[in-house]
Amino acid sequence: MDLLQLLSWSCILFTIGMFSTGLTDLKKMRATQSAESVQFLPFITTCLNNLGWLYYGVLKNDGTLMSVNSIGASLQSLYILSYFHYAKEKRNVLVQTLGMACVLCVSWVYFSMIVPPGSTQLSQLGLACSVFTIAMYLSPLADLLEIIRTRSVDRLSFSLTVATFLTSTSWTLYGLQLGDYYIMVPNTPGIATSLIRFLLFWLFDSASQGKPSYKPLHI
């Protein structure tokens, strides 16, 4: 097995593991019959990210990108539907979901019908996907000020943090090996934001009722 193939399998394993951490949130929502303790924004940004990279993988004929993001988009759709079911403020969830659908439709029309096929289409799509990837990695830090104010990490997932660190590292190395900066560069912030979240857990986890607020990683 050469290095590229090893990195490909690492990307598939760690990325599916990262997407699967949402099952913990799904279990929490079912147990409490509420979505109040779960963030919705990461589901939206990750779903858009998956669909964008899936299209990029199709255009580039990259089996690793296609397989990983097909599974990811399916899981994120499940999480979005589950969140809508358990959310008390369904209107806000519906508005955000419809907003995602509009962005998706406009993007599809633009990249499929307006942008000339070939290298221009691939480069512009890669740039757009890079932006969504960075948004996906930054979205869990949306409550950073609240976490610092309350000195509580209850709204952060430790298992997701570990999975994100492994995933972003493997994709960065995979993109570097391919010489594809659209894959490599946007995954670098995932490493940085994961390290920030590790620091938050180290600083504030002991303040959360004297016991860990995170759950072990299950892949």
Side-chain angles (χ1 to χ4, degrees), residues 147-148 151-153 199-208:
I147 291 169
I148 294 174
R151 302 179 66 85
S152 173
V153 289
L199 178 62
L200 291 174
F201 277 107
W202 181 68
L203 290 174
F204 301 136
D205 186 58
S206 59
S208 299

Side-chain angles (χ1 to χ4, degrees), residues 174-181:
Y174 181 74
L176 180 63
Q177 187 68 17
L178 286 177
D180 190 328
Y181 292 100

Side-chain angles (χ1 to χ4, degrees), residues 85-183:
H85 176 72
Y86 292 112
K88 292 182 179 179
E89 297 293 333
K90 296 185 185 297
R91 181 179 178 181
N92 291 335
V93 178
L94 183 60
V95 168
Q96 292 182 62
T97 304
L98 290 176
M100 182 195 75
C102 289
V103 170
L104 187 62
C105 290
V106 171
S107 299
W108 183 83
V109 170
Y110 176 76
F111 288 112
S112 299
M113 302 180 181
I114 299 177
V115 178
S119 59
T120 301
Q121 183 185 41
L122 197 62
S123 61
Q124 289 194 20
L125 180 59
L127 181 61
C129 289
S130 297
V131 172
F132 276 115
T133 297
I134 293 172
M136 180 189 73
Y137 284 134
L138 292 179
S139 61
L141 295 180
D143 295 324
L144 181 60
L145 292 179
E146 182 68 15
I147 291 169
I148 294 174
R149 186 185 68 81
T150 61
R151 302 179 66 85
S152 173
V153 289
D154 288 341
R155 291 179 67 84
L156 290 179
S157 167
F158 186 76
S159 59
L160 179 59
T161 301
V162 174
T164 299
F165 177 76
L166 294 174
T167 301
S168 56
T169 300
S170 60
W171 279 111
T172 298
L173 294 174
Y174 181 74
L176 180 63
Q177 187 68 17
L178 286 177
D180 190 328
Y181 292 100
Y182 293 119
I183 297 177

Side-chain angles (χ1 to χ4, degrees), residues 72-85:
S74 299
L75 286 173
Q76 299 309 315
S77 298
L78 173 63
Y79 302 152
I80 290 171
L81 290 173
S82 299
Y83 191 100
F84 180 79
H85 176 72

Side-chain angles (χ1 to χ4, degrees), residues 13-73:
L13 176 64
F14 292 139
T15 307
I16 293 176
M18 183 180 72
F19 294 151
S20 298
T21 57
L23 295 173
T24 301
D25 291 329
L26 183 58
K27 183 178 180 181
K28 184 191 301 184
M29 288 188 286
R30 289 190 61 185
T32 61
Q33 294 293 299
S34 172
E36 290 184 359
S37 62
V38 177
Q39 290 180 292
F40 183 64
L41 183 58
F43 297 152
I44 289 289
T45 56
T46 304
C47 189
L48 282 171
N49 184 68
N50 289 149
L51 294 171
W53 282 114
L54 175 60
Y55 190 26
Y56 184 83
V58 170
L59 293 179
K60 199 170 182 180
N61 196 28
D62 188 310
T64 303
L65 286 171
M66 287 188 286
S67 58
V68 163
N69 288 288
S70 295
I71 296 172

